[in-house]
Amino acid sequence: MSGAEELPFESAAADSAVLSIYRQVYSVLARTAGSMIDDSGSVDVDEAILSAFALAGPAGLSIEQVCAACRPVSESTVRRRFEVLRSYRAVGKVNERPNELYYQAAFAPYVMLLFLRRLSRSGGLSELHQLLSVARLAVDDSTTTPEQARDHLLQMTTVFRLLANPIMQLAKSGTVESLREQAQPLLGNSELLDQATAYHNRAADVWPQLLPECTDLRLAVAGYRDAVAAAAGRLIDKAGRTRALGLLPAERWRTFARDAGVDELAAALDGLLFDAPDPYFSADDLIDAVEEGLHTDSGRTPPPRPRLDDDAPAGPPDTDAELRMLTERAEEFLAGADEVTVAALLTAAGDWPAGRRVLSDLTAISLRSELPYTLTWGDGLRVDAGAETTWVSDGWLRRQRVTVTS
């Protein structure tokens, strides 16, 4: 824009009007006076303020009435956004006088808000389709000059380069989660690529003198196509053999595990059934078990030798000491009863090493068929997180009653 001192009054007034409209339309993107929109909440507050003015009619609203109409938004937030809109003339006084209390809103800022919302949802694809359509119509328009066609070609080249660069960066080094969220609206645009290719071919035929600009556009379109292919390929690779692109990536699960509360984490596993956990072993118990396993008798047992004395044995030899020991152990477990549960025996044992010896003895007793005891197991499971033995299956040691018939 030319300097005001170099222009006559009419030109300066026209430039000032253009600048005023520019400020109104782009006020939501301003970086001064704290008016930069960095979240959707600011857009919602601005839209609520402008909607309140639309319902108020030509009489306008005062600041207090605007705050009341924009509830439940806090009054401080409404006043701050109101001053932002006012500083860029999106909101102005009904009458330009010192003590005027009522304001009215302009049309252009609200249109800009709608434009920003559409951009956030579609990623600008609808605007790109419109630009291509306008450029394609300009090719067939006989009044279009080569300078105008060059501007269109440069504009479309810049658009496709800006589209390709972030997608390629995400495809190479971005996380799968960010790639899925940001690049997915820009993927699968075969129709857009065909439309751009058709526009390039038509422009090259109509204006041969613009072949360098057409070449730049062709390279930009090819770069966008390669970026889309790279991004789609990485998404498919991360989806696994099932090609289930709807599955959440690992980054999303890690983020959920870090940020979610106890109830949310529990709800994620609701309805799932897991096997019972293994018993807890301390480091000392593991060390003792390893040391006991290493203590093996490496010496050779001498062969039996005949007795040298001629005296007869005083009584029958003890042929099976283990059988007698297991009988005493079983009677100790039963304590005079005919049945005892395994859970009760493990609870009485106390710690896990003693319980392990109890299970070993019970197994040895059940393997000796000549003993009148049986060890049976059921399908139930007792779970006690606070006990030394975390979980115990249902089991019973029973005494067999021998019936003597005559």
Side-chain angles (χ1 to χ4, degrees), residues 15 19 41 179 190 193 259 273-274 286 300 324:
D15 282 355
L19 182 60
L179 178 63
S190 58
L193 292 171
D259 300 339
L273 180 63
F274 297 91
L286 293 176
R300 298 181 59 185
R324 179 170 53 84

Side-chain angles (χ1 to χ4, degrees), residues 66-376:
V66 171
C67 294
C70 294
R71 292 176 181 175
V73 182
S74 63
E75 182 177 351
S76 60
T77 302
V78 175
R79 286 183 178 272
R80 180 174 59 84
R81 296 307 306 174
F82 183 88
E83 292 300 326
V84 170
L85 296 176
R86 180 184 175 187
S87 64
Y88 287 94
R89 297 184 181 180
V91 174
K93 293 182 178 181
V94 174
N95 298 307
E96 290 298 332
R97 54 191 180 187
N99 297 324
E100 178 62 47
L101 299 178
Y102 289 89
Y103 296 84
Q104 60 185 1
F107 160 76
Y110 186 72
V111 174
M112 188 61 189
L113 289 176
L114 299 179
F115 175 73
L116 287 177
R117 286 193 179 277
R118 187 173 68 251
L119 283 179
S120 64
R121 289 193 299 265
S122 63
L125 291 182
S126 59
E127 282 69 25
L128 180 54
H129 280 283
Q130 293 176 6
L131 288 175
L132 275 173
S133 300
V134 172
R136 182 65 180 83
L137 292 175
V139 174
D140 298 330
D141 191 354
S142 59
T143 62
T144 303
T145 62
E147 288 74 15
Q148 294 174 338
R150 180 181 289 105
D151 292 339
H152 288 161
L153 288 170
L154 293 177
Q155 188 180 51
M156 298 310 306
T157 301
T158 302
V159 168
F160 277 102
R161 285 174 178 172
L162 292 177
L163 279 175
N165 292 338
I167 297 180
M168 184 60 73
Q169 187 274 332
L170 288 173
K172 288 183 177 180
S173 58
T175 62
V176 178
E177 183 177 358
S178 61
L179 178 63
R180 189 187 304 272
E181 292 178 354
Q182 301 181 32
Q184 191 170 6
L186 305 178
L187 300 179
N189 296 322
S190 58
E191 181 182 354
L192 180 64
L193 292 171
D194 295 340
Q195 189 178 357
T197 303
Y199 166 67
H200 161 270
N201 297 337
R202 180 60 177 163
D205 293 338
V206 175
W207 295 293
Q209 65 273 28
L210 299 180
L211 285 179
E213 288 78 4
C214 293
T215 301
D216 292 339
L217 175 59
R218 184 173 67 253
L219 293 176
V221 173
Y224 174 64
R225 181 183 289 107
D226 294 341
V228 170
R234 188 180 179 197
L235 286 177
I236 292 176
D237 292 340
K238 291 298 182 180
R241 295 182 178 179
T242 60
R243 296 297 186 262
L245 296 178
L247 295 179
L248 294 177
E251 291 86 352
R252 176 65 63 84
W253 287 112
R254 285 195 288 267
T255 302
F256 173 75
R258 288 193 299 266
D259 300 339
V262 177
D263 295 337
E264 292 175 322
L265 291 175
L269 302 178
D270 188 18
L272 299 180
L273 180 63
F274 297 91
D275 292 336
D278 292 335
Y280 173 76
F281 300 98
S282 65
D284 295 336
D285 295 339
L286 293 176
I287 293 175
D288 294 341
V290 173
E291 290 180 351
E292 290 178 3
L294 294 177
H295 292 167
T296 57
D297 188 6
S298 60
R300 298 181 59 185
T301 303
R305 296 181 180 181
R307 297 176 58 89
L308 297 179
D309 57 328
D310 296 332
D311 296 337
D318 190 1
T319 57
D320 198 342
E322 182 184 3
L323 186 65
R324 179 170 53 84
M325 185 271 295
L326 293 177
T327 303
E328 294 176 354
R329 189 65 168 157
E331 291 298 330
E332 179 183 350
F333 289 153
L334 291 172
D338 292 335
E339 177 182 314
V340 65
T341 62
V342 176
L345 295 177
L346 293 179
T347 302
D351 57 2
W352 171 244
R356 183 177 56 186
R357 288 190 293 270
V358 169
L359 291 177
S360 177
D361 292 341
L362 290 175
T363 303
I365 293 172
S366 65
L367 293 177
R368 300 300 294 263
S369 59
E370 57 268 42
L371 293 177
Y373 309 104
T374 58
L375 179 64
T376 57

